Amino acid sequence: MPLTDTAIRLAKPTGRDYTLKDGGGLALFVGASGAKNWHFRFSWAGKQPRISLGTYPEISLKEARELRDQARALVAKGVDPRISRRQERKAALLAASNTFEAVFRSWRDFKALSLKAGRQSTLSQVDRIFKKDLLPTLGPQSIFEITRADLLEVLRKIERRGAHTTAEKCRTWFNQLFRYAMVEVELQSNPAADLDIVAMPKPRVKHNPFLRMEQLPAFLVKLRHYGGDLNTQLGLRLLLLTGVRTGELRSAVPEQFDLERSLWIVPPENVKQLQEQMRKKNKDCTEFPPYLVPLPRQAVAIVRELLRAKSPAQRYLLPHRSKPRERISENTLNAALKRMGYKDQLTGHGIRATISTALNELGYHKDWVEAQLSHADPNQIRASYNHAEYVEQRRAMMQDWADRLDQWEMQGLQADLQMAPSMQRERRGDDRPLSPVPAVDPLPIRDGHVEIASAEVAAGEGDETEKSPVLTLIARKDQRPQPVLTDIQRERALVLATFESPHNLPLPAFAKLVGKSRHQINRDIQARRLLSLSMGNRGQRIPDWQLDPVRQDFTRAVLARVGDLDSWMLYRALCEPVDALGGLPPLEAVVAGAAREAMHAVLGVLGLLGEPERAVTALRQVV
């Protein structure tokens, strides 16, 4: 007889377990203590297993019968209800723990194993675009609940603001991410498939604007009168003189330049075309030749000047203005072109198109031009080698190009002087008569070969400074208006250079070298067992001389002696030469065996020799 709600409510504990059957395999199990559970018994492989459907009254009689019917339907289809339930529970757990953001983090870390880091790298773009456009909407949702409509909605939002390239990248990343989820978290389908079918059509590609040869004289004059940072002007000139990509220029370090051979040797990992080949062929950068860039004498002069002005903490050829260990911003060169009045007329990358167009119009061999600009070679056999080909031919070509730029600049200056003499006098700030710039005949070229007397320059005949506006600019750069620095600004610059010095290590790097945790290093600093330098939000730096046991013991003794004295004062007292030590810094004198004299010198510099008892104690600690 089927159960009723009344019979279930009246079922009381008897001190023993008993069962009330309902039918179809459903029964109410009443425990000895009075607990009531729904059970479903079914036939499977010659046995009579049972599963629990929940407790009463949480699961009513009606709900229990519905669950029984569902279980019986599974049995009729040849599905074990127990296995089905385990799969459902697993799916529920996966859905709770595998949000879109969690799966994205896992996929992103996996993708990072094969991608290069950097501001404009694919990995940085993934981080930036997901954080801005995708995670705010999709991040909290379970990866199992996201539908194609959800993805299409965020893509439409990106397309509506005109970011069609970003939307295209997102479609690609979506497809990769959900395919990854199908393997890692057993997602059953890929909702990102076929999203390209409904993609909004992209507008026509706008290529980087560039200048024609007849526009270069005026541009070179404006570049010469650029009032911003000299390094920015020299960076733009290097682009004009070499044709490298802005990324290759920004990544340039002093070690890449062989000025004796007038070569810029760009590592393959910094070259866009070689990066793509390394990715496709899954090869290491050591298997590809570097990109050789011959430098005309004007470019060599610029590099020499930049290296001459290099600060100790500087790593890149063109450093960031406020962070000497970092390179210039990717927007610096383009921003300078905009300030010069070339917005929508020229970009840093457009300079390459300017050079390519001009050199082809001048009749140079196409292969030379393509090799100079490091363009992909359609011939796959030659593609890996052309970056090192035609070096001598390209050297002559680029020297001719550099000399032509000098001529155009001189002609532009002459035209500028003739057209607006009063303006030039006002710019120069006096009323002296203007000296005309002599005109220079154009350089002849036939069949892709230079026919100029470059040997005269190579032999050192004549005044190179007078022949080259670039060299003149560098030679007279001290005459340019320079910003007037206050004493506070000079002190700040000195402190920053000291803080960023290579021998002052970030705390994590120092901790790694000594085999301690960051917390242990912090405790040593707080206990005055280590000297550290602190500079606002830049964190802490620890001088690497404390890796040497002798210098470390001496520094620790000095710290114990001076108490809470300012770390910067102590740093200078330890590092600056002292006459009483034969011109050696105290740290060097300690290594030479003069520990007593070194301690005496440090205390003298710090003005702490008025307490002899404590000084003797400190000396004994060192010795």
Side-chain angles (χ1 to χ4, degrees):
M1 181 178 178
L3 289 173
T4 63
D5 287 326
T6 302
I8 295 170
R9 286 197 303 271
L10 294 177
K12 303 298 183 182
T14 63
R16 296 176 59 185
D17 297 342
Y18 65 95
T19 300
L20 299 177
K21 295 183 178 181
D22 179 64
L26 181 65
L28 182 69
F29 175 83
V30 182
S33 62
K36 300 174 182 179
N37 292 279
W38 294 107
H39 287 177
F40 170 64
R41 190 177 294 277
F42 60 99
S43 297
W44 190 263
K47 297 181 179 180
Q48 294 290 316
R50 68 179 182 179
I51 60 174
S52 174
L53 301 180
T55 61
Y56 180 88
E58 286 77 12
I59 302 295
S60 67
L61 176 60
K62 181 180 179 181
E63 291 171 335
R65 287 171 176 168
E66 292 175 353
L67 293 173
R68 174 201 62 191
D69 293 341
Q70 293 173 11
R72 292 184 67 183
L74 289 173
V75 174
K77 295 177 181 177
V79 177
D80 190 337
R82 296 168 295 180
I83 296 177
S84 177
R85 174 173 293 184
R86 284 197 293 269
Q87 291 174 343
E88 290 175 357
R89 288 175 178 171
K90 181 180 178 181
L93 290 173
L94 288 174
S97 60
N98 288 289
T99 61
F100 179 85
E101 182 169 2
V103 176
F104 159 70
R105 300 294 177 197
S106 177
W107 168 76
R108 185 262 182 208
D109 292 343
F110 176 77
K111 195 174 182 66
L113 299 176
S114 59
L115 292 179
K116 182 181 177 182
R119 181 170 175 80
Q120 282 302 307
S121 67
T122 299
L123 192 61
S124 66
Q125 293 181 48
V126 167
D127 291 338
R128 189 164 58 249
I129 293 172
F130 270 77
K131 180 179 179 180
K132 176 184 177 182
D133 295 316
L134 307 181
L135 293 181
T137 302
L138 301 174
Q141 298 185 44
S142 168
I143 194 75
F144 297 94
E145 297 174 357
I146 293 178
T147 64
R148 185 175 279 113
D150 296 327
L151 303 181
L152 188 59
E153 182 180 351
V154 296
L155 290 172
R156 287 282 187 252
K157 185 177 179 181
I158 296 171
E159 289 174 335
R160 280 195 293 271
R161 71 167 189 257
H164 296 278
T165 301
T166 299
E168 182 179 12
K169 291 178 179 178
C170 288
R171 284 191 292 271
T172 301
W173 294 334
F174 276 151
N175 194 43
Q176 295 175 3
L177 187 150
F178 281 98
R179 289 177 61 197
Y180 174 85
M182 291 176 70
V183 177
E184 286 292 326
V185 298
E186 300 182 15
L187 186 67
Q188 296 302 310
S189 61
N190 179 6
D194 301 326
L195 286 174
D196 57 311
I197 296 175
V198 292
M200 296 292 291
K202 293 175 64 175
R204 293 182 60 185
V205 176
K206 291 184 178 180
H207 295 286
N208 286 289
F210 64 96
L211 300 180
R212 295 286 183 177
M213 278 195 290
E214 60 270 17
Q215 298 173 289
L216 285 174
F219 169 74
L220 291 166
V221 171
K222 288 189 177 181
L223 179 59
R224 185 177 189 82
H225 294 312
Y226 175 68
D229 186 58
L230 178 62
N231 279 4
T232 303
Q233 181 184 153
L234 295 181
L236 288 170
R237 286 185 178 272
L238 274 180
L239 290 181
L240 271 170
L241 291 166
T242 60
V244 298
R245 297 176 179 85
T246 53
E248 293 157 2
L249 175 63
R250 292 177 57 240
S251 300
V253 295
E255 294 77 16
Q256 296 176 4
F257 294 91
D258 183 348
L259 298 184
E260 295 300 321
R261 295 192 296 161
S262 298
L263 280 179
W264 179 356
I265 305 171
V266 184
E269 60 267 25
N270 289 356
V271 182
K272 178 181 177 182
Q273 297 295 343
L274 294 180
Q275 289 173 2
E276 294 177 359
Q277 291 184 42
M278 284 186 281
R279 257 196 316 270
K280 291 177 181 178
K281 299 180 180 180
N282 194 27
K283 290 187 176 181
D284 187 76
C285 61
T286 58
E287 301 181 52
F288 287 82
Y291 170 30
L292 299 183
V293 183
L295 299 174
R297 58 188 173 87
Q298 293 88 336
V300 170
I302 290 175
V303 174
R304 287 191 190 279
E305 171 59 26
L306 291 171
L307 294 179
R308 186 197 65 77
K310 178 180 176 292
S311 67
Q314 182 178 325
R315 178 184 175 190
Y316 294 97
L317 183 71
L318 294 177
H320 193 283
R321 293 189 64 179
S322 59
K323 302 174 183 177
R325 294 181 69 88
E326 298 183 13
R327 57 186 178 174
I328 60 169
S329 166
E330 61 186 296
N331 298 319
T332 299
L333 300 179
N334 284 337
L337 292 172
K338 289 179 182 179
R339 285 194 293 272
M340 290 164 55
Y342 282 88
K343 182 180 180 181
D344 299 328
Q345 298 181 55
L346 183 65
T347 64
H349 196 77
I351 289 177
R352 287 167 53 81
T354 298
I355 296 173
S356 175
T357 303
L359 292 178
N360 279 289
E361 288 179 356
L362 289 172
Y364 278 104
H365 199 292
K366 180 181 178 181
D367 287 348
W368 302 2
V369 179
E370 296 298 292
Q372 180 67 24
L373 299 177
S374 181
H375 281 161
D377 194 322
N379 186 326
Q380 294 300 314
I381 297 176
R382 295 168 47 196
S384 299
Y385 304 98
N386 272 1
H387 299 96
E389 282 187 351
Y390 310 122
V391 173
E392 294 308 317
Q393 296 93 327
R394 289 191 283 131
R395 187 187 301 279
M397 176 179 71
M398 296 310 294
Q399 185 60 63
D400 175 34
W401 170 249
D403 293 339
R404 288 175 183 272
L405 290 175
D406 284 350
Q407 290 187 48
W408 290 328
E409 184 170 348
M410 293 173 69
Q411 292 168 1
L413 287 170
Q414 184 180 30
D416 196 29
L417 292 172
Q418 292 173 350
M419 292 179 61
S422 60
M423 184 181 300
Q424 296 300 318
R425 289 193 185 97
E426 181 180 351
R427 178 186 297 157
R428 196 175 60 187
D430 59 34
D431 294 324
R432 289 175 295 169
L434 300 173
S435 300
V437 179
V440 181
D441 294 331
L443 300 173
I445 179 172
R446 291 190 180 90
D447 301 324
H449 294 281
V450 188
E451 294 188 357
I452 61 172
S454 56
E456 175 185 340
V457 175
E461 299 179 14
D463 187 346
E464 289 189 4
T465 299
E466 292 300 324
K467 293 183 179 181
S468 172
V470 175
L471 302 180
T472 304
L473 174 70
I474 294 175
R476 299 177 181 175
K477 73 180 184 65
D478 292 334
Q479 300 176 13
R480 291 163 51 92
Q482 299 293 326
V484 179
L485 298 180
T486 64
D487 292 340
I488 294 177
Q489 288 173 324
R490 291 193 191 93
E491 178 65 21
R492 173 72 178 178
L494 177 61
V495 169
L496 179 61
T498 302
F499 186 80
E500 296 282 356
S501 177
H503 75 260
N504 289 328
L505 304 177
L507 191 150
F510 186 88
K512 185 175 181 180
L513 287 174
V514 298
K516 292 185 177 181
S517 69
R518 297 176 62 175
H519 296 298
Q520 289 174 312
I521 296 298
N522 276 320
R523 285 197 293 269
D524 287 342
I525 293 172
Q526 292 170 3
R528 305 291 286 177
R529 292 191 292 267
L530 277 176
L531 175 66
S532 70
L533 301 177
S534 179
M535 192 173 182
N537 60 0
R538 294 177 182 271
Q540 286 183 313
R541 296 291 174 93
I542 303 176
D544 63 3
W545 74 66
Q546 294 173 105
L547 297 171
D548 175 41
V550 175
R551 293 187 177 96
Q552 184 186 39
D553 290 343
F554 181 76
T555 304
R556 185 173 298 181
V558 174
L559 285 169
R561 170 68 180 85
V562 301
D564 294 331
L565 192 67
D566 180 69
S567 297
W568 285 93
M569 293 177 61
L570 180 55
Y571 178 89
R572 293 190 179 100
L574 290 168
C575 297
E576 292 180 355
V578 179
D579 292 338
L581 298 176
L584 291 176
L587 286 173
E588 297 300 325
V590 170
V591 177
R596 290 176 180 272
E597 294 80 358
M599 175 64 81
H600 190 274
V602 170
L603 296 178
V605 171
L606 297 174
L608 297 176
L609 286 179
E611 304 176 21
E613 293 81 5
R614 295 183 63 187
V616 170
T617 303
L619 286 168
R620 287 174 178 169
Q621 290 176 351
V622 177
V623 179

